[in-house]
Amino acid sequence: MSDFGVVIPADAQPLAALERERQFRAVFFDAADAMLILDDERTVLEANPAACALFGVAEDGVVGNTLDALIVDDGGELGVGWRELLALGEARREHHVAVGGSNTRLVECSYRARVYANRHLCIARDITDRRLLEERLIQSEKIESVGRLAGGIAHDFNNLLTAILGYTELLLVRHEGNDPERGDLEEIQRAGQRAAALTQQLLAFSRKQVLMPKDVDLNQTVAGLKSMLGRLIREDITLWCELSPTAATIRIDPTQLEQAIINLVLNGRDALPAGGDIRLEVTRVERPRAGVPADHLSTASEYIRLRVIDNGVGISPDAMAHLFEPFFTTKAVGKGTGLGLASVYGIVRQSNGFIAVESEPGSGSVFTMHFPAVATSAKDCVEAAESSNTAPGCETILLVEDEDSVRGIIGAVLRRQGYHVLESATPRGALDLFNARAGKVDLLLSDVVMPEMSGPALAQQLIGVRPELRVLLISGYTEMAIPFDSNSPGINFIGKPFRSSVLTERIREILGARPKHSRTSSDGRDIV
């Protein structure tokens, strides 16, 4: 009898058969893949060393067992595959198998029937890591697809909201405080501002917002937010902050960084219905310890890690699979938009970082963000715009905007302020207007994304002719990196949608006569 249970009389064994058996045994025992010889009852008669390694047991822990005993959570799949094997001679199935006790791995089993008489071969290959990578890729592609849709929707809505909020503000100027229609107009304005906040989060998720990055020390950001975060969480929740002993400088838009931290802390608060702890940890880590994903393009040797940890209810596996998708929420209707974590994901990825989540139901959650460390902290030196000798409200502004409704409201607002406005729907038309006036333009006010040429490219051409030209770029989103120095006093940015008063104050500031009691934030996003 051979070791595979086939009875072959010694005097009847052809030399060729012996050679085939010897070759088969050599392949069987030296194979990198796990191999099992099974009988008709699926009992394991032979197991090669790779199979023993896969199951994490010695040979006697595999041989003598049935394949059914090694498989967990089968759901009848093995029986179906076995009948297919006996009928067709081969089959392929995926099973979860027990590995070294309580752990399970996903294994792809390829079956071949009757390799020796009534003996069957099972080749098992561990595909757990491959399947996780495939699922991660599918999830990433799905998020990218949804992000493109969300960004396009947000861009169109921002143009509409710019017109709605602009005309509403013009009407509010005409209706004094005791006017019966003023209350209705204020409700329209508040609704528009809430819509603007939602589109801003959509743009953050889709990574199509225009960022104004600066060198930011995460230690200072977390310390500066601690007081405000303490007011946002309940009294039964304790907030802990553990900062890096050395500077933790990263390159990021400070407004978006603060928004990401706030969203994660609020997420932790909601996971603590009975109170508990939220911890923020800032640490410097070397690249090998950062767990950099394969699709991450940064080559930084050191990262700044920010962890937001709570000991709350945790996240279920089903919810984990959809965690960063927009509009997905486990909260009750009316309690959340489902955009908080989605916007965090977009902010981190657009800032050249990456984010990971660890959580189990009942065991809390850990959100970990990594950002490339900045070697030296560059001090932000934003020089004040030079004062203009021109009287306020009489400068010449070249307005370039391809959306008619947006161009119309901006032109109307600026003319009411006394500016001389040259309007163009295209960059080529703007170049013609600029050349016709021999470059006598004080400010270029241009959309970023337009047909023919981008706003930054147009600005670059015009500044080449008139170096002292001031530039204010406007956009709801952008799909390209803006090629200008965000610290330059001559080139500025404001995000759509914006209030008319914010726009005019910003223009006045850029042209050199900052108005008193200015309410404008550094990036024009104060309405959201």
Side-chain angles (χ1 to χ4, degrees), residues 215 247 249-251 284 301-302 304 372-378:
D215 287 353
T249 306
I250 61 176
R251 185 75 174 171
R284 299 182 71 96
S301 60
E302 189 174 26
I304 305 300
V374 174
T376 56
S377 178

Side-chain angles (χ1 to χ4, degrees), residues 158-159 162-163 166-167 170 397-423 443 445-447 472-475 494-500 503-504 507:
N158 276 338
N159 279 331
T162 299
Y167 284 113
L170 289 181
I397 297 176
L398 176 55
L399 170 60
V400 192
E401 167 63 63
D402 59 328
E403 186 70 30
D404 293 342
S405 61
V406 177
R407 191 174 66 255
I409 181 60
I410 293 177
V413 168
L414 295 180
R415 289 188 179 93
R416 293 190 184 195
Q417 293 293 317
Y419 295 106
H420 179 57
V421 182
L422 306 174
E423 292 187 21
L443 174 73
L445 178 59
S446 174
D447 193 13
L472 177 58
L473 297 172
I474 57 176
S475 182
I494 185 171
K496 296 177 185 176
F498 43 76
R499 292 198 302 267
S500 300
L503 176 64
T504 55
I507 289 175

Side-chain angles (χ1 to χ4, degrees), residues 147-228:
R148 285 192 294 270
L149 174 63
I153 292 173
H155 172 259
D156 292 342
F157 266 86
N158 276 338
N159 279 331
L160 295 172
L161 289 169
T162 299
I164 291 170
L165 290 171
Y167 284 113
T168 301
E169 190 164 0
L170 289 181
L171 290 172
L172 283 169
V173 172
R174 302 176 187 174
H175 294 76
E176 300 298 331
N178 57 354
D179 192 308
E181 294 183 354
R182 185 176 179 85
D184 295 337
L185 291 172
E186 289 175 343
E187 284 299 319
I188 294 173
Q189 186 180 53
R190 280 191 287 268
Q193 291 170 357
R194 288 195 297 271
L198 289 176
T199 58
Q200 192 65 29
Q201 292 186 74
L202 279 174
L203 287 172
F205 165 73
S206 63
R207 290 178 276 162
K208 295 182 184 297
Q209 59 186 345
V210 179
L211 299 182
M212 305 294 284
K214 301 179 184 296
D215 287 353
V216 177
D217 188 341
L218 257 177
N219 284 335
Q220 296 178 6
T221 300
V222 171
L225 287 175
K226 186 175 182 181
S227 177
M228 183 186 71

